[in-house]
Amino acid sequence: MSLKATNNVATNRYELEIEVSAEDFEAALQKAYLKARKNIQMPGFRKGKAPRKLIEREYGEQVFFEDAVNIVYPDAVNGAVEESGLTLVARPEVEVTAISKEEGIKITAKCVTKPEVDIKDYKGIEVTKNVKEVTDEDIDAQLNQLRDKNVTVETVDDRAAELGDDVLIDFEGFKDGVAFDGGKAEDFTLNLGSGQFIAGFEDQIVGHNAGESFDINVTFPEEYQVKELAGAPAVFKINLKSISKKVYPEIDDEMVKDSTEFETLEEYKADVRKKLEEANAKQADNEAESAVFDAIIEKLEGEIPQEMYDNRVNEMVQELEQRLRAQGITLDLYMQYTGQNIDTVKKAYEEQAQKQVKLRLALEKIAVLENIEVSDDELNEEIKKISESYGVDAEQIKQIVAEEDLRRDVAVGKASDLVKDSAVIK
């Protein structure tokens, strides 16, 4: 097996011409025969005992070619890629261009390589940090959240239902006098005015009292997801079983004392303001850091293969799938709930993936330009962090992740710190 030529056919794209000798091909043919013969039955021989030459004469000389190619080409291609010195960012597209017992195999491997990039003026990037002011409205929003947590519910029996009430109902829907699927429920709690049901449904419950049974008339929207009901008039039979309303406490010292660690409303408001100011400051720091990295991305020069973006998108989808699985949800079920398909999920990640790929390439280049080195102590500290984060033994980390990749990750982290530390944040 040997690499015959490395041809640069376009930016970041190469074609490797690879040859497998007749001798190596013959060895692969013999392996393919030995693997397949146990399933071959021929007259005059016990199953699995027919000679290779007889099988080839009966079924054709090329009967074992495909299996032999599958045996030999992975090592041939991997060896050729290593010999070429290319750094690939995608699996090569492999094509057998010629094959014979006399000449062996000729293979073309189309390769996409990591791009050569450049970056200048990455130190001293100027960005503006905008810390959002905490307003009285922000404080009030937090107080309202606390009030919502302390809400109580009271049954209403002295008046008809009003918008804002919660009603407990049984209902069943009919189209042209026939009940339709999905249109029936019992003991359903509905907040009137929430817009949970189609237009007109909730409004027609307003004004009725608990214990009443009545009909309401509605028309399904033209774009309704159930085709048979789209744009159709319908009648719902309603049994209004009970009405309740939310009773909110006064926002005062008593509410604060009963539901927080503070004694007075003013003490609680002061703590809320402090925490919001800290959160806003942190958000401003994160936004300033993002602005620095956005500037770095803009300064990156080089043609980046689409395959790198596609790879990152696929990784992000896999990460989503893992997070969903931890919650007991499959990706298919998630897409069904959100009305998406795999293409729309991937599209949602495209911009983020492009930024991440570009930033990584930029920081790797900066690490090279700055001659950033990673000591053994720094490497071991990184392994320790990964080990503690994932609960995996450090020795296992060393076996799973190549040392070169770990060193590169640490170098990228140091390059990131260099860029941030040198930035001018106003």
Side-chain angles (χ1 to χ4, degrees):
M1 305 180 198
S2 62
L3 173 63
K4 289 300 181 182
T6 301
N7 304 314
N8 185 193
V9 296
T11 304
N12 305 318
R13 297 184 185 275
Y14 290 79
E15 286 187 0
L16 305 183
E17 296 179 18
I18 307 164
E19 290 186 0
V20 178
S21 68
E23 292 77 15
D24 289 335
F25 183 38
E26 170 57 31
L29 285 169
Q30 184 64 14
K31 287 182 181 178
Y33 156 69
L34 293 173
K35 183 178 180 180
R37 70 174 180 177
K38 62 184 178 181
N39 297 318
I40 298 175
Q41 178 79 60
M42 293 194 70
F45 295 91
R46 285 182 296 159
K47 188 176 182 180
K49 296 299 182 180
R52 175 181 153 192
K53 287 185 178 180
L54 186 61
I55 296 172
E56 290 176 333
R57 188 184 309 138
E58 178 68 20
Y59 295 102
E61 182 187 49
Q62 299 182 355
V63 63
F64 297 118
F65 275 22
E66 183 177 351
D67 289 342
V69 169
N70 290 334
I71 289 170
V72 79
Y73 96 81
D75 287 341
V77 173
N78 292 338
V81 170
E82 185 175 353
E83 186 178 344
S84 72
L86 300 176
T87 301
L88 307 192
V89 296
R91 189 185 298 275
E93 292 183 16
V94 178
E95 179 184 1
V96 175
T97 57
I99 183 170
S100 70
K101 287 185 177 181
E102 295 74 25
E103 300 294 332
I105 310 172
K106 292 183 179 180
I107 298 171
T108 297
K110 296 179 180 180
C111 303
V112 182
T113 60
K114 192 172 184 178
E116 287 293 332
V117 298
D118 197 13
I119 187 168
K120 300 181 179 69
D121 303 324
Y122 50 83
K123 291 181 181 178
I125 292 174
E126 296 186 3
V127 298
T128 301
K129 180 168 73 172
N130 297 309
V131 182
K132 181 183 175 183
E133 181 184 356
V134 175
T135 65
D136 290 341
E137 288 76 13
D138 296 329
I139 304 294
D140 290 341
Q142 294 292 311
L143 291 174
N144 287 331
Q145 288 183 21
L146 181 65
R147 184 191 64 172
D148 290 345
K149 291 179 181 178
N150 287 273
V151 68
T152 57
V153 178
E154 291 183 359
T155 300
V156 175
D157 52 18
D158 59 349
R159 63 168 173 79
E162 299 176 353
L163 288 177
D165 289 342
D166 287 332
V167 293
L168 185 69
I169 58 174
D170 298 338
F171 64 84
E172 186 171 15
F174 296 82
K175 177 190 172 187
D176 298 327
V178 179
F180 52 84
D181 291 340
K184 181 178 181 179
E186 295 181 353
D187 293 333
F188 188 91
T189 299
L190 174 63
N191 177 255
L192 299 181
S194 65
Q196 186 175 355
F197 279 45
I198 60 176
F201 188 102
E202 296 168 22
D203 292 339
Q204 294 181 63
I205 296 177
V206 171
H208 289 279
N209 291 285
E212 286 188 40
S213 295
F214 51 92
D215 293 348
I216 61 176
N217 296 280
V218 296
T219 300
F220 283 94
E222 293 291 342
E223 67 277 8
Y224 195 66
Q225 61 266 30
V226 180
K227 186 176 181 181
E228 293 76 13
L229 297 176
V235 176
F236 280 88
K237 293 186 176 298
I238 309 293
N239 178 21
L240 178 52
K241 304 176 83 169
S242 67
I243 305 169
S244 59
K245 67 176 181 179
K246 295 182 176 69
V247 179
Y248 294 92
E250 290 292 326
I251 300 176
D252 54 18
D253 291 346
E254 183 179 351
M255 184 194 75
V256 168
K257 187 174 182 180
D258 288 344
S259 54
T260 74
E261 61 192 84
F262 299 94
E263 294 292 323
T264 68
L265 176 60
E266 289 306 313
E267 288 178 356
Y268 179 69
K269 289 170 68 174
D271 183 69
V272 168
R273 180 175 293 276
K274 178 183 176 183
K275 288 178 179 176
L276 287 176
E277 288 173 344
E278 291 172 349
N280 287 354
K282 184 175 182 180
Q283 181 179 349
D285 287 339
N286 292 338
E287 290 173 351
E289 181 179 298
S290 295
V292 171
F293 288 145
D294 286 344
I296 288 292
I297 290 171
E298 288 298 318
K299 293 176 182 292
L300 183 68
E301 300 175 1
E303 187 175 328
I304 302 172
Q306 180 64 39
E307 285 83 353
M308 292 190 74
Y309 299 140
D310 294 341
N311 288 345
R312 183 60 192 132
V313 167
N314 290 333
E315 290 170 355
M316 295 169 82
V317 172
Q318 290 174 1
E319 291 163 4
L320 169 65
E321 193 167 11
Q322 290 170 359
R323 293 194 300 273
L324 292 172
R325 193 180 301 121
Q327 301 171 35
I329 304 172
T330 65
L331 180 59
D332 286 342
L333 190 59
Y334 167 80
M335 291 189 294
Q336 181 180 333
Y337 284 159
T338 57
Q340 298 187 77
N341 56 42
I342 192 64
D343 291 332
T344 56
V345 171
K346 287 184 175 182
K347 188 171 183 59
Y349 284 126
E350 281 181 2
E351 183 178 353
Q352 186 181 357
Q354 289 185 12
K355 282 190 172 185
Q356 290 181 3
V357 169
K358 289 177 180 178
L359 181 60
R360 174 74 184 203
L361 288 171
L363 293 174
E364 286 182 354
K365 185 63 177 181
I366 292 170
V368 173
L369 293 172
E370 294 292 329
N371 296 313
I372 292 176
E373 296 183 353
V374 178
S375 68
D376 289 342
D377 287 343
E378 289 173 325
L379 180 65
N380 289 331
E381 183 62 28
E382 179 69 10
I383 292 172
K384 181 181 177 182
K385 288 179 182 177
I386 297 173
S387 173
E388 292 174 351
S389 177
Y390 290 95
V392 179
D393 185 74
E395 290 303 316
Q396 287 182 272
I397 300 295
K398 293 177 182 179
Q399 294 175 7
I400 296 170
V401 186
E403 180 179 319
E404 180 182 356
D405 292 337
L406 285 172
R407 286 189 184 276
R408 189 180 297 112
D409 288 344
V410 176
V412 164
K414 295 174 75 172
S416 174
D417 291 340
L418 181 150
V419 169
K420 289 186 290 185
D421 293 343
S422 71
V424 178
I425 300 177
K426 301 177 182 179

